[in-house]
Amino acid sequence: MPAAPAATPPWSIVIHGGAGTITRAVLTAAQDSGARAGLRAALDAGSAVLAGGGAALDAVEAAVRVLEDDPHFNAGHGAAYTRDGRNELDAAIMDGRDRAAGAATGLSHTRNPVSLARAVMTHSPHVLLSGEGADRFSREQGLEQAEPSYFATAERRRQLDELLASGSDGFDIDMKYGTVGAVARDRRGHVAAATSTGGVTGKRWGRIGDSPVIGAGTYADDRAGAVSATGAGEYFIRVGAAHEICARVRLAGEDILTAGGGVIDELTAMGGAGGVILVAPDGIGGWRFNTPGMYRGHASSSHAPHVAIYGDE
């Protein structure tokens, strides 16, 4: 006899705060506890939306806004510095119901880039805005603004100074602090994804990573699931990682965790590093990564919130 259907459909949310060389030897006790508290706060914000019957789109925005405001992560307040000493912010959001999407890149005044990405999706005919024009659109939409100094922190400046002092001609490849993101499935069975980043320390020439690129670092489709990525963005762009995972689910019949692992394996073979968070249309969620650690967390209607940082957790 088949089990009776649940009285209310399940919901789930998965979040990340970046993947990279994140080990117990690298993080101080204060950094460890601070990051875990930030992840838990983001989970609580997204879970409150979903538990109250809210939309997945609202949940991922709420969770990412919390992470953008937390200087333990590389997004919003606490963003990485470019090589010339600026903070440039990128974000994207996508609705699995109709694959509507919005993104913004090169921001310097919008306090919560993920909310600007949503405004681009909802209140403009475009998908991706950049630079001064994106910040101008943000002001026109009445979104909260901040002086460039708001995004800066002493720790991020130290990381840039360390990179410059090393004489390196590249950017930070260790990625000790990373991009943030969230994916969710709501009680109506819809999924959504959102990602926000300050890029990588020492980036130059207006470099844009995968986070605001729909199909690379961010993707959602009710037919397959939702994905947010973090790591070496150039590789995620080349693989089309987020869309590729959803395509494997939809066209090859793989479950989303298997698909995520397969794409991370492909990225690893190319020399890339990073991870993805995933949620399927049935609410199954999780992550896959090839780095020593990944700030991550999960909660659902049937599981208590759980956060982790290191690869052995």
Side-chain angles (χ1 to χ4, degrees):
M1 181 177 177
T8 55
W11 57 263
S12 61
I13 183 168
V14 188
I15 63 170
H16 72 76
T21 309
I22 306 167
T23 67
R24 291 177 177 85
V26 169
L27 297 188
T28 66
Q31 288 170 331
D32 180 299
S33 62
R36 290 179 192 273
L39 291 169
R40 180 60 188 265
L43 273 183
D44 288 347
S47 296
V49 173
L50 296 167
L57 193 67
D58 294 330
V60 296
E61 181 184 8
V64 169
R65 282 177 62 97
V66 170
L67 295 170
E68 287 176 336
D69 290 342
D70 190 325
H72 289 94
F73 306 103
N74 174 23
H77 179 51
Y81 277 87
T82 66
R83 198 171 186 88
D84 60 2
R86 290 167 45 86
N87 304 111
E88 295 177 352
L89 317 171
D90 308 329
I93 195 166
M94 190 164 184
D95 188 341
R97 292 175 296 183
D98 56 2
R99 283 173 284 167
T105 183
L107 307 175
S108 59
H109 287 88
T110 301
R111 176 173 173 137
N112 289 107
V114 69
S115 294
L116 175 53
R118 185 166 183 179
V120 173
M121 178 183 74
T122 306
H123 300 300
S124 88
H126 308 300
V127 170
L128 177 60
L129 300 183
S130 69
E132 193 280 327
D135 275 324
R136 184 170 67 248
F137 177 73
S138 175
R139 294 191 295 272
E140 291 173 358
Q141 292 299 307
L143 298 179
E144 185 174 359
Q145 304 296 297
E147 292 300 316
S149 59
Y150 165 77
F151 304 107
T153 62
E155 172 63 10
R156 294 292 185 262
R157 182 70 219 194
R158 183 199 63 77
Q159 292 165 20
L160 175 63
D161 291 344
E162 184 179 86
L163 180 74
L164 296 176
S166 73
S168 171
D169 192 43
F171 52 75
D172 174 37
I173 59 173
D174 287 337
M175 299 178 297
K176 301 181 187 68
Y177 314 89
T179 295
V180 307
V183 295
R185 190 264 196 192
D186 62 34
R187 292 184 182 275
R188 297 174 183 84
H190 301 305
V191 300
T195 313
S196 183
T197 189
V200 291
T201 298
K203 67 180 181 177
R204 293 192 284 177
W205 309 305
R207 178 262 187 188
I208 299 170
D210 63 305
S211 298
V213 179
I214 301 302
T218 308
Y219 200 73
D221 182 344
D222 273 4
R223 300 172 298 174
V227 181
S228 175
T230 176
E234 281 72 14
Y235 291 92
F236 284 88
I237 292 171
R238 289 163 61 192
V239 173
H243 180 271
E244 178 73 5
I245 291 169
C246 289
R248 287 184 179 218
V249 172
R250 189 164 60 89
L251 303 176
E254 295 180 355
D255 69 82
I256 200 163
L257 295 176
T258 297
V263 169
I264 291 297
D265 287 345
E266 182 179 349
L267 185 136
T268 303
M270 294 172 65
V276 291
I277 54 171
L278 316 148
V279 69
D282 63 3
I284 298 291
W287 41 72
R288 293 290 184 265
F289 57 96
N290 66 358
T291 51
M294 180 177 181
Y295 299 109
R296 59 202 189 273
H298 173 255
S300 74
S301 50
S302 56
H303 292 90
H306 169 73
V307 300
I309 297 177
Y310 310 110
D312 59 3
E313 291 186 87

Coordinates of all heavy atoms in Angstrom, one line a residue, residues 75-124:
A75 N 31.6 38.5 -0.2 CA 30.5 39.0 -1.0 C 30.0 40.2 -0.2 O 29.9 40.2 1.1 CB 29.4 38.0 -1.1
G76 N 29.6 41.3 -0.9 CA 29.1 42.5 -0.1 C 30.1 43.0 0.9 O 31.3 43.2 0.5
H77 N 29.7 43.2 2.1 CA 30.7 43.6 3.2 C 31.7 42.5 3.4 O 31.4 41.5 3.9 CB 29.8 43.9 4.4 CG 30.7 44.4 5.6 ND1 31.6 45.4 5.5 CD2 30.7 43.9 6.9 CE1 32.1 45.6 6.7 NE2 31.6 44.7 7.5
G78 N 32.9 42.8 3.0 CA 34.0 41.8 3.2 C 34.4 41.3 1.8 O 35.1 40.2 1.7
A79 N 34.1 42.0 0.7 CA 34.5 41.5 -0.6 C 36.0 41.6 -0.8 O 36.7 42.5 -0.2 CB 33.7 42.4 -1.7
A80 N 36.5 40.8 -1.7 CA 37.9 40.8 -2.1 C 38.2 42.1 -2.8 O 37.4 42.8 -3.4 CB 38.2 39.6 -3.0
Y81 N 39.5 42.5 -2.7 CA 40.0 43.6 -3.4 C 40.6 43.3 -4.8 O 41.2 42.2 -5.0 CB 41.2 44.3 -2.6 CG 40.8 45.2 -1.5 CD1 40.5 44.7 -0.2 CD2 40.7 46.5 -1.7 CE1 40.2 45.5 0.8 CE2 40.4 47.4 -0.6 CZ 40.1 46.9 0.6 OH 39.8 47.7 1.7
T82 N 40.3 44.2 -5.7 CA 41.0 44.1 -7.0 C 42.4 44.5 -6.9 O 42.8 45.0 -5.8 CB 40.3 45.0 -8.1 OG1 40.6 46.4 -7.7 CG2 38.8 44.8 -8.2
R83 N 43.2 44.3 -7.9 CA 44.6 44.6 -7.8 C 44.9 46.1 -7.6 O 45.9 46.5 -7.0 CB 45.4 44.1 -9.1 CG 46.9 44.1 -8.9 CD 47.5 43.4 -10.1 NE 49.0 43.2 -9.9 CZ 49.5 42.1 -9.3 NH1 48.7 41.1 -8.9 NH2 50.8 42.0 -9.2
D84 N 43.9 46.9 -8.1 CA 44.1 48.4 -7.9 C 43.4 48.9 -6.6 O 43.1 50.1 -6.5 CB 43.7 49.1 -9.1 CG 42.2 48.9 -9.5 OD1 41.5 48.2 -8.8 OD2 41.8 49.5 -10.5
G85 N 43.0 48.0 -5.7 CA 42.5 48.4 -4.4 C 41.0 48.7 -4.4 O 40.6 49.5 -3.5
R86 N 40.2 48.2 -5.3 CA 38.7 48.4 -5.3 C 38.0 47.2 -4.9 O 38.5 46.1 -4.9 CB 38.3 48.9 -6.7 CG 38.8 50.2 -7.1 CD 38.6 50.5 -8.6 NE 37.3 50.0 -9.1 CZ 36.1 50.8 -9.0 NH1 36.2 52.0 -8.5 NH2 35.0 50.3 -9.5
N87 N 36.7 47.3 -4.5 CA 35.8 46.2 -4.3 C 34.8 46.2 -5.4 O 34.1 47.2 -5.6 CB 35.1 46.3 -2.9 CG 36.1 46.4 -1.8 OD1 36.2 47.4 -1.1 ND2 36.8 45.3 -1.5
E88 N 34.7 45.2 -6.2 CA 33.8 45.1 -7.3 C 32.9 43.9 -7.1 O 33.5 42.7 -7.0 CB 34.5 45.0 -8.7 CG 35.3 46.3 -9.0 CD 36.1 46.2 -10.3 OE1 36.1 45.1 -10.8 OE2 36.6 47.2 -10.7
L89 N 31.6 44.0 -7.1 CA 30.7 43.0 -6.7 C 29.9 42.4 -7.8 O 29.5 43.2 -8.7 CB 29.8 43.5 -5.6 CG 30.4 44.4 -4.5 CD1 29.4 45.1 -3.7 CD2 31.4 43.6 -3.7
D90 N 29.6 41.1 -7.8 CA 28.8 40.5 -8.8 C 27.7 39.6 -8.1 O 28.0 39.1 -7.0 CB 29.7 39.5 -9.7 CG 30.9 40.2 -10.3 OD1 30.9 41.4 -10.5 OD2 31.9 39.4 -10.5
A91 N 26.6 39.4 -8.8 CA 25.6 38.6 -8.3 C 24.6 38.1 -9.4 O 24.5 38.7 -10.4 CB 24.8 39.3 -7.2
A92 N 23.9 37.0 -9.1 CA 22.9 36.5 -10.0 C 21.8 35.8 -9.2 O 22.0 35.3 -8.1 CB 23.5 35.6 -11.0
I93 N 20.6 35.7 -9.8 CA 19.5 35.0 -9.2 C 18.7 34.4 -10.4 O 18.6 35.0 -11.5 CB 18.6 35.9 -8.4 CG1 17.7 35.1 -7.4 CG2 17.9 36.9 -9.2 CD1 17.1 35.9 -6.3
M94 N 18.1 33.2 -10.1 CA 17.3 32.6 -11.2 C 16.1 31.8 -10.6 O 16.2 31.2 -9.5 CB 18.1 31.6 -12.0 CG 17.5 31.1 -13.3 SD 18.7 30.3 -14.4 CE 17.6 29.9 -15.8
D95 N 15.0 31.9 -11.3 CA 13.7 31.3 -10.9 C 13.4 30.1 -11.7 O 13.3 30.2 -12.9 CB 12.6 32.4 -11.0 CG 11.3 32.0 -10.5 OD1 11.1 30.8 -10.2 OD2 10.4 32.9 -10.2
G96 N 13.3 29.0 -11.1 CA 13.1 27.7 -11.8 C 11.8 27.6 -12.4 O 11.6 26.7 -13.3
R97 N 10.8 28.4 -12.0 CA 9.5 28.2 -12.6 C 9.4 28.5 -14.0 O 8.8 27.8 -14.8 CB 8.5 29.2 -11.8 CG 8.3 28.8 -10.4 CD 7.4 29.8 -9.7 NE 8.1 31.1 -9.6 CZ 7.6 32.2 -8.9 NH1 6.4 32.1 -8.4 NH2 8.2 33.3 -8.9
D98 N 10.1 29.6 -14.5 CA 10.0 30.0 -15.9 C 11.4 30.4 -16.4 O 11.5 30.9 -17.5 CB 9.1 31.2 -16.0 CG 9.5 32.4 -15.1 OD1 10.5 32.3 -14.4 OD2 8.8 33.4 -15.1
R99 N 12.5 30.1 -15.6 CA 13.8 30.3 -16.0 C 14.1 31.8 -16.2 O 15.0 32.2 -17.0 CB 14.3 29.5 -17.2 CG 14.6 28.1 -16.8 CD 14.8 27.2 -18.0 NE 13.6 26.9 -18.7 CZ 13.5 26.4 -19.9 NH1 14.6 26.2 -20.6 NH2 12.4 26.1 -20.5
A100 N 13.3 32.7 -15.5 CA 13.6 34.1 -15.5 C 14.9 34.2 -14.7 O 15.2 33.5 -13.7 CB 12.5 34.9 -14.8
A101 N 15.8 35.2 -15.1 CA 17.0 35.4 -14.4 C 17.5 36.8 -14.5 O 17.1 37.6 -15.4 CB 18.1 34.5 -15.1
G102 N 18.3 37.2 -13.5 CA 18.8 38.6 -13.4 C 20.2 38.5 -12.8 O 20.5 37.6 -12.0
A103 N 21.1 39.4 -13.3 CA 22.5 39.4 -12.8 C 23.0 40.8 -12.9 O 22.6 41.6 -13.7 CB 23.3 38.4 -13.6
A104 N 24.1 41.1 -12.1 CA 24.8 42.3 -12.2 C 26.2 42.1 -11.9 O 26.6 41.2 -11.1 CB 24.2 43.3 -11.2
T105 N 27.1 42.9 -12.5 CA 28.5 42.7 -12.3 C 29.2 44.1 -12.2 O 28.8 45.1 -12.7 CB 29.1 41.9 -13.4 OG1 30.5 41.7 -13.2 CG2 29.0 42.6 -14.8
G106 N 30.4 44.1 -11.5 CA 31.2 45.3 -11.4 C 30.5 46.4 -10.5 O 30.7 47.6 -10.7
L107 N 29.7 46.0 -9.5 CA 29.0 46.9 -8.6 C 30.0 47.5 -7.6 O 30.9 46.9 -7.1 CB 27.9 46.3 -7.9 CG 26.9 45.5 -8.8 CD1 25.9 44.8 -7.9 CD2 26.2 46.4 -9.8
S108 N 29.7 48.8 -7.3 CA 30.6 49.4 -6.2 C 29.7 50.2 -5.2 O 30.3 50.8 -4.3 CB 31.6 50.4 -6.9 OG 30.9 51.4 -7.6
H109 N 28.4 50.3 -5.4 CA 27.6 51.1 -4.4 C 26.4 50.3 -3.9 O 25.7 50.8 -3.0 CB 27.2 52.4 -5.1 CG 28.3 53.4 -5.2 ND1 29.1 53.4 -6.3 CD2 28.7 54.4 -4.4 CE1 30.0 54.4 -6.2 NE2 29.8 55.0 -5.0
T110 N 26.0 49.2 -4.5 CA 24.8 48.5 -4.1 C 25.1 47.6 -2.9 O 25.9 46.7 -3.0 CB 24.2 47.7 -5.3 OG1 23.9 48.6 -6.4 CG2 22.9 47.0 -4.8
R111 N 24.4 47.9 -1.8 CA 24.7 47.2 -0.5 C 24.5 45.7 -0.7 O 25.3 44.9 -0.2 CB 23.9 47.7 0.6 CG 24.1 46.9 1.9 CD 23.5 47.6 3.1 NE 23.6 46.7 4.3 CZ 24.0 47.1 5.5 NH1 24.2 48.4 5.7 NH2 24.0 46.2 6.5
N112 N 23.4 45.3 -1.3 CA 23.1 43.8 -1.4 C 22.9 43.5 -2.9 O 21.8 43.6 -3.5 CB 21.8 43.5 -0.7 CG 22.0 43.5 0.8 OD1 21.6 44.4 1.5 ND2 22.8 42.5 1.4
P113 N 24.0 43.1 -3.5 CA 24.0 42.8 -5.0 C 22.9 41.8 -5.4 O 22.4 41.9 -6.5 CB 25.4 42.3 -5.3 CG 26.2 43.0 -4.3 CD 25.4 43.0 -3.0
V114 N 22.6 40.8 -4.6 CA 21.6 39.8 -4.9 C 20.3 40.4 -5.2 O 19.5 40.0 -6.0 CB 21.5 38.7 -3.9 CG1 20.9 39.1 -2.6 CG2 20.8 37.5 -4.5
S115 N 19.9 41.5 -4.4 CA 18.7 42.2 -4.6 C 18.6 43.0 -5.8 O 17.6 43.1 -6.5 CB 18.3 43.0 -3.3 OG 18.1 42.2 -2.2
L116 N 19.8 43.5 -6.2 CA 19.8 44.2 -7.5 C 19.7 43.2 -8.7 O 18.9 43.4 -9.6 CB 21.2 44.9 -7.7 CG 21.4 45.6 -9.1 CD1 20.3 46.5 -9.5 CD2 22.7 46.3 -9.1
A117 N 20.3 42.0 -8.5 CA 20.1 40.9 -9.6 C 18.6 40.6 -9.7 O 18.1 40.5 -10.8 CB 20.9 39.7 -9.2
R118 N 17.9 40.5 -8.6 CA 16.5 40.2 -8.7 C 15.7 41.4 -9.3 O 14.8 41.2 -10.1 CB 15.9 40.0 -7.3 CG 14.5 39.5 -7.3 CD 13.9 38.9 -6.1 NE 12.6 38.5 -6.2 CZ 11.9 37.9 -5.3 NH1 12.4 37.6 -4.1 NH2 10.6 37.5 -5.5
A119 N 16.1 42.6 -9.0 CA 15.5 43.8 -9.7 C 15.7 43.8 -11.2 O 14.8 44.1 -12.0 CB 16.0 45.1 -9.1
V120 N 16.9 43.4 -11.6 CA 17.2 43.3 -13.0 C 16.2 42.3 -13.7 O 15.7 42.5 -14.7 CB 18.6 42.9 -13.3 CG1 18.9 42.6 -14.8 CG2 19.6 44.0 -12.8
M121 N 16.0 41.2 -13.0 CA 15.1 40.1 -13.5 C 13.7 40.6 -13.6 O 13.0 40.3 -14.5 CB 15.2 38.9 -12.6 CG 14.3 37.7 -13.0 SD 14.4 36.3 -11.8 CE 13.5 37.0 -10.4
T122 N 13.3 41.3 -12.5 CA 11.9 41.6 -12.4 C 11.5 42.9 -13.0 O 10.3 43.0 -13.6 CB 11.5 41.7 -10.9 OG1 11.9 40.5 -10.2 CG2 10.0 41.9 -10.6
H123 N 12.4 43.9 -13.0 CA 12.0 45.3 -13.4 C 12.7 45.8 -14.6 O 12.7 47.0 -14.9 CB 12.1 46.2 -12.2 CG 11.3 45.8 -11.0 ND1 9.9 45.8 -11.1 CD2 11.6 45.5 -9.8 CE1 9.5 45.4 -9.9 NE2 10.5 45.3 -9.1
S124 N 13.4 44.9 -15.3 CA 14.1 45.4 -16.6 C 13.9 44.3 -17.6 O 13.5 43.2 -17.3 CB 15.6 45.6 -16.3 OG 16.3 44.4 -16.5

